[in-house]
Amino acid sequence: FQAEDGIRDVERSRGLGDVYKRQHTNTFLGHPLSCATALAVLDVLEHLGVPECARVLGSRLLSELQESLKDTEKVLEVRGYGLMIGIELVTADGSPWKGGAVRVAEAALGQGLILLPAGEHGHVVELTPSAFLSKKQVAHSVAVLSSIIQTIH
């Protein structure tokens, strides 16, 4: 096969011979340098207290969203863990509001919030904010998101 011979010629011209023997590689393999870098980043995050910030901030954001949306018929549940929060949207009959999260995310983007539609039916609004939001940013986000969910049709 001519293309393969060309590849082998390049390998030989660079002194590689048949070193690779056509092994497949993958970008996501654990290269030692990238693994060491990742471990160093995790150490810095731990040193800065990011996991604790995420736990505290996530708990505050979750409770404020739950309180703000507790009487909203379109919301089945507000749930989360740390700073991963989901708001499950439903229709008047309790079925998933298909595409509802897309509509909420689009409206929120227009007001400066970046949210993700999720769920099997596109009915869960997913929040994954920074661990360094200020109290003012949390309050603003809750107010904007609650307003959108309560008024969107």
PDB file of all heavy atoms in Angstrom, residues 99-140:
ATOM      1  N   GLY A  99     -38.103  20.846  26.371  1.00  0.00           N
ATOM      2  CA  GLY A  99     -37.485  22.049  25.824  1.00  0.00           C
ATOM      3  C   GLY A  99     -37.589  23.266  26.722  1.00  0.00           C
ATOM      4  O   GLY A  99     -37.102  24.337  26.374  1.00  0.00           O
ATOM      5  N   GLY A 100     -38.214  23.124  27.882  1.00  0.00           N
ATOM      6  CA  GLY A 100     -38.377  24.259  28.783  1.00  0.00           C
ATOM      7  C   GLY A 100     -37.051  24.836  29.251  1.00  0.00           C
ATOM      8  O   GLY A 100     -36.902  26.054  29.368  1.00  0.00           O
ATOM      9  N   ALA A 101     -36.088  23.961  29.509  1.00  0.00           N
ATOM     10  CA  ALA A 101     -34.790  24.440  29.980  1.00  0.00           C
ATOM     11  C   ALA A 101     -34.060  25.240  28.906  1.00  0.00           C
ATOM     12  O   ALA A 101     -33.326  26.174  29.218  1.00  0.00           O
ATOM     13  CB  ALA A 101     -33.927  23.263  30.437  1.00  0.00           C
ATOM     14  N   VAL A 102     -34.290  24.896  27.644  1.00  0.00           N
ATOM     15  CA  VAL A 102     -33.681  25.656  26.541  1.00  0.00           C
ATOM     16  C   VAL A 102     -34.231  27.072  26.552  1.00  0.00           C
ATOM     17  O   VAL A 102     -33.483  28.046  26.430  1.00  0.00           O
ATOM     18  CB  VAL A 102     -33.948  24.975  25.180  1.00  0.00           C
ATOM     19  CG1 VAL A 102     -33.459  25.836  24.034  1.00  0.00           C
ATOM     20  CG2 VAL A 102     -33.314  23.589  25.134  1.00  0.00           C
ATOM     21  N   ARG A 103     -35.530  27.197  26.715  1.00  0.00           N
ATOM     22  CA  ARG A 103     -36.155  28.523  26.739  1.00  0.00           C
ATOM     23  C   ARG A 103     -35.656  29.352  27.918  1.00  0.00           C
ATOM     24  O   ARG A 103     -35.379  30.539  27.783  1.00  0.00           O
ATOM     25  CB  ARG A 103     -37.668  28.371  26.768  1.00  0.00           C
ATOM     26  CG  ARG A 103     -38.171  27.725  25.454  1.00  0.00           C
ATOM     27  CD  ARG A 103     -39.636  27.578  25.387  1.00  0.00           C
ATOM     28  NE  ARG A 103     -40.270  28.897  25.431  1.00  0.00           N
ATOM     29  CZ  ARG A 103     -41.557  29.078  25.650  1.00  0.00           C
ATOM     30  NH1 ARG A 103     -42.341  28.042  25.813  1.00  0.00           N
ATOM     31  NH2 ARG A 103     -42.080  30.277  25.686  1.00  0.00           N
ATOM     32  N   VAL A 104     -35.524  28.717  29.074  1.00  0.00           N
ATOM     33  CA  VAL A 104     -35.026  29.427  30.254  1.00  0.00           C
ATOM     34  C   VAL A 104     -33.564  29.840  30.029  1.00  0.00           C
ATOM     35  O   VAL A 104     -33.182  30.979  30.320  1.00  0.00           O
ATOM     36  CB  VAL A 104     -35.161  28.555  31.520  1.00  0.00           C
ATOM     37  CG1 VAL A 104     -34.424  29.176  32.701  1.00  0.00           C
ATOM     38  CG2 VAL A 104     -36.636  28.346  31.861  1.00  0.00           C
ATOM     39  N   ALA A 105     -32.747  28.928  29.506  1.00  0.00           N
ATOM     40  CA  ALA A 105     -31.329  29.229  29.276  1.00  0.00           C
ATOM     41  C   ALA A 105     -31.155  30.371  28.281  1.00  0.00           C
ATOM     42  O   ALA A 105     -30.293  31.249  28.470  1.00  0.00           O
ATOM     43  CB  ALA A 105     -30.595  27.976  28.797  1.00  0.00           C
ATOM     44  N   GLU A 106     -31.970  30.395  27.238  1.00  0.00           N
ATOM     45  CA  GLU A 106     -31.876  31.479  26.252  1.00  0.00           C
ATOM     46  C   GLU A 106     -32.264  32.816  26.876  1.00  0.00           C
ATOM     47  O   GLU A 106     -31.610  33.829  26.656  1.00  0.00           O
ATOM     48  CB  GLU A 106     -32.764  31.174  25.039  1.00  0.00           C
ATOM     49  CG  GLU A 106     -32.209  30.075  24.162  1.00  0.00           C
ATOM     50  CD  GLU A 106     -33.163  29.643  23.062  1.00  0.00           C
ATOM     51  OE1 GLU A 106     -34.369  30.014  23.101  1.00  0.00           O
ATOM     52  OE2 GLU A 106     -32.724  28.917  22.161  1.00  0.00           O
ATOM     53  N   ALA A 107     -33.328  32.822  27.663  1.00  0.00           N
ATOM     54  CA  ALA A 107     -33.756  34.058  28.320  1.00  0.00           C
ATOM     55  C   ALA A 107     -32.709  34.518  29.333  1.00  0.00           C
ATOM     56  O   ALA A 107     -32.416  35.711  29.448  1.00  0.00           O
ATOM     57  CB  ALA A 107     -35.107  33.852  29.011  1.00  0.00           C
ATOM     58  N   ALA A 108     -32.122  33.578  30.050  1.00  0.00           N
ATOM     59  CA  ALA A 108     -31.111  33.919  31.050  1.00  0.00           C
ATOM     60  C   ALA A 108     -29.849  34.478  30.401  1.00  0.00           C
ATOM     61  O   ALA A 108     -29.238  35.413  30.924  1.00  0.00           O
ATOM     62  CB  ALA A 108     -30.769  32.693  31.886  1.00  0.00           C
ATOM     63  N   LEU A 109     -29.472  33.933  29.260  1.00  0.00           N
ATOM     64  CA  LEU A 109     -28.283  34.422  28.555  1.00  0.00           C
ATOM     65  C   LEU A 109     -28.453  35.894  28.195  1.00  0.00           C
ATOM     66  O   LEU A 109     -27.510  36.680  28.310  1.00  0.00           O
ATOM     67  CB  LEU A 109     -28.021  33.584  27.306  1.00  0.00           C
ATOM     68  CG  LEU A 109     -26.740  33.895  26.548  1.00  0.00           C
ATOM     69  CD1 LEU A 109     -25.513  33.714  27.448  1.00  0.00           C
ATOM     70  CD2 LEU A 109     -26.628  32.989  25.316  1.00  0.00           C
ATOM     71  N   GLY A 110     -29.655  36.276  27.820  1.00  0.00           N
ATOM     72  CA  GLY A 110     -29.936  37.666  27.508  1.00  0.00           C
ATOM     73  C   GLY A 110     -29.791  38.588  28.712  1.00  0.00           C
ATOM     74  O   GLY A 110     -29.691  39.800  28.564  1.00  0.00           O
ATOM     75  N   GLN A 111     -29.779  37.997  29.900  1.00  0.00           N
ATOM     76  CA  GLN A 111     -29.620  38.790  31.131  1.00  0.00           C
ATOM     77  C   GLN A 111     -28.286  38.497  31.830  1.00  0.00           C
ATOM     78  O   GLN A 111     -28.110  38.805  33.010  1.00  0.00           O
ATOM     79  CB  GLN A 111     -30.794  38.529  32.063  1.00  0.00           C
ATOM     80  CG  GLN A 111     -32.102  39.021  31.445  1.00  0.00           C
ATOM     81  CD  GLN A 111     -33.218  39.043  32.457  1.00  0.00           C
ATOM     82  OE1 GLN A 111     -33.044  39.477  33.587  1.00  0.00           O
ATOM     83  NE2 GLN A 111     -34.386  38.573  32.038  1.00  0.00           N
ATOM     84  N   GLY A 112     -27.375  37.875  31.096  1.00  0.00           N
ATOM     85  CA  GLY A 112     -26.022  37.698  31.608  1.00  0.00           C
ATOM     86  C   GLY A 112     -25.730  36.421  32.363  1.00  0.00           C
ATOM     87  O   GLY A 112     -24.647  36.264  32.911  1.00  0.00           O
ATOM     88  N   LEU A 113     -26.677  35.489  32.410  1.00  0.00           N
ATOM     89  CA  LEU A 113     -26.439  34.214  33.090  1.00  0.00           C
ATOM     90  C   LEU A 113     -26.216  33.112  32.058  1.00  0.00           C
ATOM     91  O   LEU A 113     -26.981  32.999  31.100  1.00  0.00           O
ATOM     92  CB  LEU A 113     -27.630  33.825  33.965  1.00  0.00           C
ATOM     93  CG  LEU A 113     -28.025  34.769  35.094  1.00  0.00           C
ATOM     94  CD1 LEU A 113     -29.210  34.200  35.855  1.00  0.00           C
ATOM     95  CD2 LEU A 113     -26.859  35.015  36.030  1.00  0.00           C
ATOM     96  N   ILE A 114     -25.208  32.306  32.286  1.00  0.00           N
ATOM     97  CA  ILE A 114     -24.948  31.186  31.395  1.00  0.00           C
ATOM     98  C   ILE A 114     -25.424  29.915  32.097  1.00  0.00           C
ATOM     99  O   ILE A 114     -24.868  29.508  33.124  1.00  0.00           O
ATOM    100  CB  ILE A 114     -23.455  31.074  31.040  1.00  0.00           C
ATOM    101  CG1 ILE A 114     -22.991  32.341  30.336  1.00  0.00           C
ATOM    102  CG2 ILE A 114     -23.212  29.838  30.171  1.00  0.00           C
ATOM    103  CD1 ILE A 114     -21.500  32.395  30.085  1.00  0.00           C
ATOM    104  N   LEU A 115     -26.462  29.309  31.555  1.00  0.00           N
ATOM    105  CA  LEU A 115     -27.057  28.091  32.094  1.00  0.00           C
ATOM    106  C   LEU A 115     -27.063  27.030  31.006  1.00  0.00           C
ATOM    107  O   LEU A 115     -26.979  27.350  29.818  1.00  0.00           O
ATOM    108  CB  LEU A 115     -28.495  28.356  32.553  1.00  0.00           C
ATOM    109  CG  LEU A 115     -28.694  29.544  33.488  1.00  0.00           C
ATOM    110  CD1 LEU A 115     -30.175  29.793  33.705  1.00  0.00           C
ATOM    111  CD2 LEU A 115     -27.983  29.298  34.796  1.00  0.00           C
ATOM    112  N   LEU A 116     -27.208  25.786  31.407  1.00  0.00           N
ATOM    113  CA  LEU A 116     -27.232  24.695  30.436  1.00  0.00           C
ATOM    114  C   LEU A 116     -28.549  23.940  30.507  1.00  0.00           C
ATOM    115  O   LEU A 116     -28.981  23.565  31.599  1.00  0.00           O
ATOM    116  CB  LEU A 116     -26.085  23.721  30.713  1.00  0.00           C
ATOM    117  CG  LEU A 116     -24.686  24.306  30.654  1.00  0.00           C
ATOM    118  CD1 LEU A 116     -23.669  23.286  31.170  1.00  0.00           C
ATOM    119  CD2 LEU A 116     -24.356  24.726  29.242  1.00  0.00           C
ATOM    120  N   PRO A 117     -29.183  23.703  29.353  1.00  0.00           N
ATOM    121  CA  PRO A 117     -30.348  22.819  29.357  1.00  0.00           C
ATOM    122  C   PRO A 117     -29.853  21.387  29.478  1.00  0.00           C
ATOM    123  O   PRO A 117     -28.844  21.014  28.877  1.00  0.00           O
ATOM    124  CB  PRO A 117     -31.005  23.076  28.005  1.00  0.00           C
ATOM    125  CG  PRO A 117     -29.945  23.689  27.150  1.00  0.00           C
ATOM    126  CD  PRO A 117     -28.937  24.303  28.047  1.00  0.00           C
ATOM    127  N   ALA A 118     -30.541  20.597  30.271  1.00  0.00           N
ATOM    128  CA  ALA A 118     -30.138  19.213  30.491  1.00  0.00           C
ATOM    129  C   ALA A 118     -31.378  18.345  30.651  1.00  0.00           C
ATOM    130  O   ALA A 118     -32.499  18.818  30.497  1.00  0.00           O
ATOM    131  CB  ALA A 118     -29.246  19.121  31.733  1.00  0.00           C
ATOM    132  N   GLY A 119     -31.173  17.103  30.955  1.00  0.00           N
ATOM    133  CA  GLY A 119     -32.280  16.171  31.144  1.00  0.00           C
ATOM    134  C   GLY A 119     -32.682  15.518  29.837  1.00  0.00           C
ATOM    135  O   GLY A 119     -32.452  16.050  28.757  1.00  0.00           O
ATOM    136  N   GLU A 120     -33.277  14.369  29.955  1.00  0.00           N
ATOM    137  CA  GLU A 120     -33.689  13.575  28.792  1.00  0.00           C
ATOM    138  C   GLU A 120     -34.605  14.342  27.850  1.00  0.00           C
ATOM    139  O   GLU A 120     -34.572  14.174  26.639  1.00  0.00           O
ATOM    140  CB  GLU A 120     -34.393  12.298  29.274  1.00  0.00           C
ATOM    141  CG  GLU A 120     -34.800  11.366  28.184  1.00  0.00           C
ATOM    142  CD  GLU A 120     -35.472  10.106  28.711  1.00  0.00           C
ATOM    143  OE1 GLU A 120     -35.463   9.866  29.935  1.00  0.00           O
ATOM    144  OE2 GLU A 120     -36.025   9.360  27.879  1.00  0.00           O
ATOM    145  N   HIS A 121     -35.424  15.226  28.402  1.00  0.00           N
ATOM    146  CA  HIS A 121     -36.388  15.972  27.594  1.00  0.00           C
ATOM    147  C   HIS A 121     -36.037  17.460  27.495  1.00  0.00           C
ATOM    148  O   HIS A 121     -36.892  18.264  27.108  1.00  0.00           O
ATOM    149  CB  HIS A 121     -37.795  15.813  28.174  1.00  0.00           C
ATOM    150  CG  HIS A 121     -38.231  14.400  28.310  1.00  0.00           C
ATOM    151  ND1 HIS A 121     -38.578  13.619  27.236  1.00  0.00           N
ATOM    152  CD2 HIS A 121     -38.348  13.599  29.413  1.00  0.00           C
ATOM    153  CE1 HIS A 121     -38.903  12.409  27.656  1.00  0.00           C
ATOM    154  NE2 HIS A 121     -38.768  12.372  28.972  1.00  0.00           N
ATOM    155  N   GLY A 122     -34.815  17.823  27.881  1.00  0.00           N
ATOM    156  CA  GLY A 122     -34.446  19.238  27.873  1.00  0.00           C
ATOM    157  C   GLY A 122     -35.265  20.033  28.867  1.00  0.00           C
ATOM    158  O   GLY A 122     -35.585  21.183  28.635  1.00  0.00           O
ATOM    159  N   HIS A 123     -35.569  19.395  30.004  1.00  0.00           N
ATOM    160  CA  HIS A 123     -36.456  20.016  30.991  1.00  0.00           C
ATOM    161  C   HIS A 123     -35.765  20.340  32.318  1.00  0.00           C
ATOM    162  O   HIS A 123     -36.426  20.741  33.279  1.00  0.00           O
ATOM    163  CB  HIS A 123     -37.661  19.102  31.253  1.00  0.00           C
ATOM    164  CG  HIS A 123     -37.303  17.818  31.935  1.00  0.00           C
ATOM    165  ND1 HIS A 123     -36.543  16.842  31.339  1.00  0.00           N
ATOM    166  CD2 HIS A 123     -37.589  17.372  33.178  1.00  0.00           C
ATOM    167  CE1 HIS A 123     -36.378  15.840  32.174  1.00  0.00           C
ATOM    168  NE2 HIS A 123     -36.997  16.134  33.302  1.00  0.00           N
ATOM    169  N   VAL A 124     -34.449  20.201  32.364  1.00  0.00           N
ATOM    170  CA  VAL A 124     -33.700  20.513  33.582  1.00  0.00           C
ATOM    171  C   VAL A 124     -32.740  21.660  33.285  1.00  0.00           C
ATOM    172  O   VAL A 124     -31.945  21.589  32.350  1.00  0.00           O
ATOM    173  CB  VAL A 124     -32.916  19.276  34.087  1.00  0.00           C
ATOM    174  CG1 VAL A 124     -32.106  19.635  35.326  1.00  0.00           C
ATOM    175  CG2 VAL A 124     -33.861  18.115  34.371  1.00  0.00           C
ATOM    176  N   VAL A 125     -32.837  22.704  34.077  1.00  0.00           N
ATOM    177  CA  VAL A 125     -31.911  23.830  33.970  1.00  0.00           C
ATOM    178  C   VAL A 125     -30.719  23.482  34.856  1.00  0.00           C
ATOM    179  O   VAL A 125     -30.875  23.218  36.042  1.00  0.00           O
ATOM    180  CB  VAL A 125     -32.554  25.149  34.455  1.00  0.00           C
ATOM    181  CG1 VAL A 125     -31.538  26.285  34.380  1.00  0.00           C
ATOM    182  CG2 VAL A 125     -33.796  25.469  33.638  1.00  0.00           C
ATOM    183  N   GLU A 126     -29.537  23.468  34.251  1.00  0.00           N
ATOM    184  CA  GLU A 126     -28.325  23.088  34.973  1.00  0.00           C
ATOM    185  C   GLU A 126     -27.479  24.330  35.250  1.00  0.00           C
ATOM    186  O   GLU A 126     -27.196  25.111  34.344  1.00  0.00           O
ATOM    187  CB  GLU A 126     -27.544  22.091  34.118  1.00  0.00           C
ATOM    188  CG  GLU A 126     -26.307  21.540  34.761  1.00  0.00           C
ATOM    189  CD  GLU A 126     -25.627  20.535  33.847  1.00  0.00           C
ATOM    190  OE1 GLU A 126     -26.196  19.458  33.614  1.00  0.00           O
ATOM    191  OE2 GLU A 126     -24.528  20.864  33.365  1.00  0.00           O
ATOM    192  N   LEU A 127     -27.088  24.490  36.506  1.00  0.00           N
ATOM    193  CA  LEU A 127     -26.215  25.585  36.909  1.00  0.00           C
ATOM    194  C   LEU A 127     -24.893  24.993  37.382  1.00  0.00           C
ATOM    195  O   LEU A 127     -24.894  24.071  38.203  1.00  0.00           O
ATOM    196  CB  LEU A 127     -26.816  26.368  38.085  1.00  0.00           C
ATOM    197  CG  LEU A 127     -28.052  27.199  37.852  1.00  0.00           C
ATOM    198  CD1 LEU A 127     -29.297  26.352  37.869  1.00  0.00           C
ATOM    199  CD2 LEU A 127     -28.134  28.264  38.902  1.00  0.00           C
ATOM    200  N   THR A 128     -23.803  25.510  36.885  1.00  0.00           N
ATOM    201  CA  THR A 128     -22.477  25.113  37.340  1.00  0.00           C
ATOM    202  C   THR A 128     -21.610  26.368  37.433  1.00  0.00           C
ATOM    203  O   THR A 128     -20.680  26.549  36.656  1.00  0.00           O
ATOM    204  CB  THR A 128     -21.834  24.081  36.388  1.00  0.00           C
ATOM    205  OG1 THR A 128     -21.850  24.610  35.067  1.00  0.00           O
ATOM    206  CG2 THR A 128     -22.565  22.755  36.407  1.00  0.00           C
ATOM    207  N   PRO A 129     -21.917  27.239  38.397  1.00  0.00           N
ATOM    208  CA  PRO A 129     -21.214  28.520  38.479  1.00  0.00           C
ATOM    209  C   PRO A 129     -19.815  28.398  39.086  1.00  0.00           C
ATOM    210  O   PRO A 129     -19.447  27.357  39.637  1.00  0.00           O
ATOM    211  CB  PRO A 129     -22.121  29.342  39.398  1.00  0.00           C
ATOM    212  CG  PRO A 129     -22.738  28.329  40.291  1.00  0.00           C
ATOM    213  CD  PRO A 129     -22.958  27.119  39.413  1.00  0.00           C
ATOM    214  N   SER A 130     -19.094  29.496  39.026  1.00  0.00           N
ATOM    215  CA  SER A 130     -17.771  29.604  39.631  1.00  0.00           C
ATOM    216  C   SER A 130     -17.871  29.466  41.146  1.00  0.00           C
ATOM    217  O   SER A 130     -18.868  29.868  41.753  1.00  0.00           O
ATOM    218  CB  SER A 130     -17.176  30.972  39.280  1.00  0.00           C
ATOM    219  OG  SER A 130     -16.061  31.255  40.087  1.00  0.00           O
ATOM    220  N   ALA A 131     -16.817  28.947  41.741  1.00  0.00           N
ATOM    221  CA  ALA A 131     -16.770  28.821  43.198  1.00  0.00           C
ATOM    222  C   ALA A 131     -16.461  30.155  43.865  1.00  0.00           C
ATOM    223  O   ALA A 131     -16.376  30.227  45.088  1.00  0.00           O
ATOM    224  CB  ALA A 131     -15.725  27.782  43.594  1.00  0.00           C
ATOM    225  N   PHE A 132     -16.303  31.199  43.083  1.00  0.00           N
ATOM    226  CA  PHE A 132     -15.912  32.491  43.626  1.00  0.00           C
ATOM    227  C   PHE A 132     -16.949  33.580  43.381  1.00  0.00           C
ATOM    228  O   PHE A 132     -16.617  34.752  43.301  1.00  0.00           O
ATOM    229  CB  PHE A 132     -14.549  32.904  43.066  1.00  0.00           C
ATOM    230  CG  PHE A 132     -13.475  31.924  43.420  1.00  0.00           C
ATOM    231  CD1 PHE A 132     -13.028  31.016  42.486  1.00  0.00           C
ATOM    232  CD2 PHE A 132     -12.945  31.881  44.702  1.00  0.00           C
ATOM    233  CE1 PHE A 132     -12.043  30.088  42.821  1.00  0.00           C
ATOM    234  CE2 PHE A 132     -11.968  30.968  45.037  1.00  0.00           C
ATOM    235  CZ  PHE A 132     -11.509  30.067  44.100  1.00  0.00           C
ATOM    236  N   LEU A 133     -18.231  33.196  43.285  1.00  0.00           N
ATOM    237  CA  LEU A 133     -19.284  34.200  43.153  1.00  0.00           C
ATOM    238  C   LEU A 133     -19.396  34.999  44.440  1.00  0.00           C
ATOM    239  O   LEU A 133     -19.265  34.452  45.536  1.00  0.00           O
ATOM    240  CB  LEU A 133     -20.632  33.533  42.889  1.00  0.00           C
ATOM    241  CG  LEU A 133     -20.864  32.843  41.549  1.00  0.00           C
ATOM    242  CD1 LEU A 133     -22.270  32.260  41.515  1.00  0.00           C
ATOM    243  CD2 LEU A 133     -20.665  33.792  40.401  1.00  0.00           C
ATOM    244  N   SER A 134     -19.676  36.278  44.300  1.00  0.00           N
ATOM    245  CA  SER A 134     -19.915  37.111  45.482  1.00  0.00           C
ATOM    246  C   SER A 134     -21.360  36.913  45.943  1.00  0.00           C
ATOM    247  O   SER A 134     -22.203  36.396  45.196  1.00  0.00           O
ATOM    248  CB  SER A 134     -19.673  38.584  45.141  1.00  0.00           C
ATOM    249  OG  SER A 134     -20.671  39.041  44.239  1.00  0.00           O
ATOM    250  N   LYS A 135     -21.654  37.364  47.151  1.00  0.00           N
ATOM    251  CA  LYS A 135     -23.032  37.290  47.658  1.00  0.00           C
ATOM    252  C   LYS A 135     -23.969  38.097  46.753  1.00  0.00           C
ATOM    253  O   LYS A 135     -25.101  37.696  46.506  1.00  0.00           O
ATOM    254  CB  LYS A 135     -23.105  37.809  49.090  1.00  0.00           C
ATOM    255  CG  LYS A 135     -22.456  36.897  50.095  1.00  0.00           C
ATOM    256  CD  LYS A 135     -22.553  37.453  51.501  1.00  0.00           C
ATOM    257  CE  LYS A 135     -21.863  36.510  52.468  1.00  0.00           C
ATOM    258  NZ  LYS A 135     -21.919  36.996  53.844  1.00  0.00           N
ATOM    259  N   LYS A 136     -23.465  39.215  46.251  1.00  0.00           N
ATOM    260  CA  LYS A 136     -24.259  40.062  45.353  1.00  0.00           C
ATOM    261  C   LYS A 136     -24.561  39.310  44.042  1.00  0.00           C
ATOM    262  O   LYS A 136     -25.684  39.369  43.532  1.00  0.00           O
ATOM    263  CB  LYS A 136     -23.497  41.354  45.066  1.00  0.00           C
ATOM    264  CG  LYS A 136     -24.253  42.357  44.247  1.00  0.00           C
ATOM    265  CD  LYS A 136     -23.444  43.641  44.080  1.00  0.00           C
ATOM    266  CE  LYS A 136     -24.186  44.631  43.200  1.00  0.00           C
ATOM    267  NZ  LYS A 136     -23.416  45.868  43.008  1.00  0.00           N
ATOM    268  N   GLN A 137     -23.590  38.590  43.520  1.00  0.00           N
ATOM    269  CA  GLN A 137     -23.805  37.823  42.288  1.00  0.00           C
ATOM    270  C   GLN A 137     -24.784  36.676  42.517  1.00  0.00           C
ATOM    271  O   GLN A 137     -25.603  36.377  41.650  1.00  0.00           O
ATOM    272  CB  GLN A 137     -22.470  37.292  41.756  1.00  0.00           C
ATOM    273  CG  GLN A 137     -21.571  38.368  41.195  1.00  0.00           C
ATOM    274  CD  GLN A 137     -20.168  37.857  40.907  1.00  0.00           C
ATOM    275  OE1 GLN A 137     -19.591  37.098  41.684  1.00  0.00           O
ATOM    276  NE2 GLN A 137     -19.631  38.286  39.776  1.00  0.00           N
ATOM    277  N   VAL A 138     -24.703  36.041  43.675  1.00  0.00           N
ATOM    278  CA  VAL A 138     -25.658  34.969  43.997  1.00  0.00           C
ATOM    279  C   VAL A 138     -27.067  35.543  44.059  1.00  0.00           C
ATOM    280  O   VAL A 138     -28.002  34.995  43.458  1.00  0.00           O
ATOM    281  CB  VAL A 138     -25.292  34.262  45.325  1.00  0.00           C
ATOM    282  CG1 VAL A 138     -26.417  33.350  45.783  1.00  0.00           C
ATOM    283  CG2 VAL A 138     -24.000  33.471  45.166  1.00  0.00           C
ATOM    284  N   ALA A 139     -27.242  36.636  44.768  1.00  0.00           N
ATOM    285  CA  ALA A 139     -28.567  37.258  44.893  1.00  0.00           C
ATOM    286  C   ALA A 139     -29.112  37.670  43.531  1.00  0.00           C
ATOM    287  O   ALA A 139     -30.290  37.438  43.228  1.00  0.00           O
ATOM    288  CB  ALA A 139     -28.493  38.468  45.824  1.00  0.00           C
ATOM    289  N   HIS A 140     -28.258  38.260  42.711  1.00  0.00           N
ATOM    290  CA  HIS A 140     -28.669  38.671  41.364  1.00  0.00           C
ATOM    291  C   HIS A 140     -29.078  37.449  40.533  1.00  0.00           C
ATOM    292  O   HIS A 140     -30.118  37.463  39.871  1.00  0.00           O
ATOM    293  CB  HIS A 140     -27.530  39.425  40.675  1.00  0.00           C
ATOM    294  CG  HIS A 140     -27.793  39.727  39.227  1.00  0.00           C
ATOM    295  ND1 HIS A 140     -28.668  40.716  38.817  1.00  0.00           N
ATOM    296  CD2 HIS A 140     -27.316  39.145  38.091  1.00  0.00           C
ATOM    297  CE1 HIS A 140     -28.716  40.732  37.490  1.00  0.00           C
ATOM    298  NE2 HIS A 140     -27.904  39.797  37.031  1.00  0.00           N
TER     299      HIS A 140
END
